[in-house]
Amino acid sequence: MNATPSSTDQKDRRDYAPTSDSTDRTDRTDSTDSTDRSDRTDRNSLDGRSEAGGPGGRTVHLDTAGRGRMPAAVRALVADCAAREDRYGPHELEEHLAHVLRTEIHDRLGALLGVPAADTAVVTDAATAFDALVRGLGPGRGDRIWTTPYEGVANLTALYALRDRTRCRLEVVPLREDGDLDLEWMARHIDDDVALVSVVHVPSGRGIVNPVETIGRILAPHRCLYAVDASYAVGQLSVDAARTGCHLLTGDGWRFLRGPHDVGFAYLAPRLRDMFEEAAAHRPPPQNAAVAGLNAALAHHTATLTGPAGHDGLRLLPALRAAVEETPGTELITPGLVQSGILAFRHRELPASLVRRQLAARGVALWKTVAQEIPLLDHPAGTALRASLHHDTTPDDITRFGHALQAVVREERPHPMAPARPPATPLPLRRSPPGRPSPVRPPAAT
């Protein structure tokens, strides 16, 4: 029998929990000014660790591509939801967040992606959404699946499983000399035996921006499904699923959108909804607190876009490149003509892991990438470093990064080095002979 809570318990619950109206008021007042103030406060912490030990008193955060720093208001909301769930249970939290979970999050996602709210879904991550789609497909033995050399390992694993299950052919779109996808090859070879085309908008370990809208126009007259992974694009670039013409667009909420971990989203063309929901029903959904946090992060992102900064992280990309190029022994890894706010580079003599650790000790956070993350791409550099910008990155951050990088190189390689070379040509990438797709190789063992 269910016990009726005492009047004291009921009063305690009313005092503790914000109402939907108060939550809505908090969202509406999460303006650019207030979020900017919380961001400035946030810069004194990263993942809960004190940054006072680094030069300048705070961390220079250049790893938004790995995990964005949650704004203070988003972090507080997630903590409040966790405390509420701990005290009253998950069902009460779900009831409290009903409007956010059923309506508001989808309205915000629809506005972000330029699609109807009803065509959006909330998932744990982009790779889970892609796998749910691929598991429901049944291409014929003679059908072809297209991927690109920039495909991430998680999506590529799902494509290998599809190939092995259905005996379809998996082909890799070749690259041009400059590292861009060969769109002329795609236009010549597209036919109705192509069942699925998977393209990464921005890959995890490179800054190239693939022309997903142009590819959508090439594919539009044909029967193939078109899937776009926008995990490293949404939040730093404008992403419009309707203009792209894709049938599935997936993204993670914790990168440039700066929401909580383990929550992502997808746009689904109406014809995919039933198949997707059937596959997704067998997977755990994201935590309600994480969904509420993503909803707050989307509100913060929208407020930021309407402010003076907008998508302004790219303004410091030339300065970031210069800071790397001015450091002796470094090489940029920048395939493609159009670049995002992600910059990959390496040092010719120092291991990437050593440079990353030494930069962290100096209060600069970036990340190391490894070849297994993008298995189909030739990696003459092996491991590399990845720096990523956000709209709140400052010129002083870039200056501190440049000084720290030069100090690491000077201290870890103390003997004289050759002066910095002029900007390097992008490292060579494997290409196929004209008219032939690249062969698919299994990913390297990890």
Side-chain angles (χ1 to χ4, degrees):
M1 184 174 67
N2 294 329
T4 302
S6 68
S7 59
T8 304
D9 287 341
Q10 291 170 338
K11 178 180 184 300
D12 189 24
R13 181 172 300 196
R14 287 196 301 270
D15 291 344
Y16 174 80
T19 65
S20 298
D21 288 340
S22 66
T23 304
D24 289 344
R25 285 195 297 270
T26 301
D27 285 348
R28 287 195 293 270
T29 57
D30 191 17
S31 65
T32 303
D33 289 343
S34 64
T35 50
D36 284 348
R37 285 195 299 271
S38 68
D39 281 354
R40 287 194 291 272
T41 303
D42 266 5
R43 286 180 175 177
N44 293 323
S45 64
L46 174 67
D47 292 338
R49 295 172 292 177
S50 170
E51 303 300 341
R58 65 174 178 81
T59 287
V60 173
H61 187 73
L62 296 177
D63 189 29
T64 305
R67 185 166 185 177
R69 295 177 300 106
M70 278 194 292
V74 177
R75 190 166 56 245
L77 175 63
V78 173
D80 181 74
C81 288
R84 187 185 186 99
E85 183 175 40
D86 180 67
R87 185 165 191 174
Y88 300 117
H91 299 298
E92 201 278 344
L93 177 64
E94 182 176 3
E95 180 179 312
H96 175 68
L97 296 174
H99 179 68
V100 169
L101 301 177
R102 296 172 190 168
T103 303
E104 193 170 308
I105 183 71
H106 296 286
D107 289 341
R108 294 194 192 280
L109 287 172
L112 176 74
L113 303 176
V115 297
D119 294 340
T120 64
V122 180
V123 294
T124 53
D125 55 79
T128 296
F130 182 77
D131 185 67
L133 169 72
V134 168
R135 284 179 181 271
L137 297 180
R141 185 178 290 267
D143 284 342
R144 293 183 289 157
I145 305 296
W146 281 3
T147 184
T148 76
Y150 296 112
E151 190 77 79
V153 64
N155 285 6
L156 189 60
T157 300
L159 293 175
Y160 280 135
L162 176 65
R163 179 195 62 185
D164 294 344
R165 174 170 58 84
T166 65
R167 313 313 299 173
C168 64
R169 288 185 291 159
L170 183 58
E171 297 178 348
V172 182
V173 175
L175 300 177
R176 302 187 324 190
E177 291 288 334
D178 57 14
D180 277 326
L181 296 174
D182 191 339
L183 302 187
E184 293 181 1
W185 183 94
M186 297 183 77
R188 287 196 309 270
H189 291 84
I190 184 63
D191 205 341
D192 283 339
D193 64 345
V194 177
L196 171 66
V197 177
S198 175
V199 178
V200 180
H201 196 170
V202 176
S204 63
R206 299 290 184 270
I208 182 174
V209 180
N210 286 317
V212 291
E213 292 185 15
T214 304
I215 292 172
R217 289 192 290 271
I218 293 172
L219 303 178
H222 302 276
R223 75 165 180 110
C224 62
L225 292 175
Y226 179 28
V228 173
D229 182 353
S231 295
Y232 293 87
V234 67
Q236 67 152 328
L237 304 174
S238 177
V239 175
D240 191 307
R243 285 203 313 264
T244 300
C246 57
H247 304 93
L248 175 73
L249 186 142
T250 58
D252 296 324
W254 61 86
R255 304 188 193 279
F256 291 94
L257 289 174
R258 303 199 295 167
H261 205 262
D262 292 333
V263 61
F265 53 88
Y267 155 72
L268 301 155
R271 64 173 167 146
L272 299 181
R273 170 66 65 175
D274 291 342
M275 179 179 66
F276 180 86
E277 289 183 346
E278 181 179 352
H282 304 287
R283 301 164 186 267
Q287 296 293 315
N288 290 331
V291 177
L294 175 58
N295 183 66
L298 290 171
H300 178 278
H301 178 71
T302 301
T304 302
L305 287 182
T306 57
H311 283 299
D312 208 17
L314 293 178
R315 76 197 187 282
L316 292 177
L317 184 58
L320 181 64
R321 290 175 63 115
V324 173
E325 291 172 333
E326 291 167 4
T327 302
T330 56
E331 292 178 331
L332 294 176
I333 309 173
T334 53
L337 297 180
V338 181
Q339 297 293 309
S340 68
I342 295 175
L343 183 67
F345 65 95
R346 67 183 287 261
H347 192 274
R348 293 193 298 271
E349 299 173 68
L350 298 179
S353 57
L354 172 65
V355 176
R356 186 197 68 79
R357 289 195 304 269
Q358 292 302 318
L359 285 173
R362 290 164 172 80
V364 177
L366 43 70
W367 199 243
K368 179 191 78 171
T369 65
V370 295
Q372 290 89 342
E373 294 174 7
I374 315 176
L376 297 181
L377 190 66
D378 270 353
H379 295 267
T383 58
L385 293 150
R386 182 191 68 196
S388 48
L389 301 169
H390 194 258
H391 71 83
D392 64 348
T393 307
T394 67
D396 181 63
D397 291 336
I398 304 303
T399 300
R400 283 188 53 202
F401 160 69
H403 291 165
L405 181 61
Q406 292 191 21
V408 170
V409 171
R410 185 170 57 250
E411 293 177 17
E412 296 298 329
R413 179 117 169 32
H415 51 282
M417 298 184 62
R421 301 191 305 178
T425 346
L427 290 172
L429 296 158
R430 176 169 56 81
R431 292 169 293 278
S432 297
R436 289 174 51 194
S438 301
V440 177
R441 301 180 304 175
T446 56

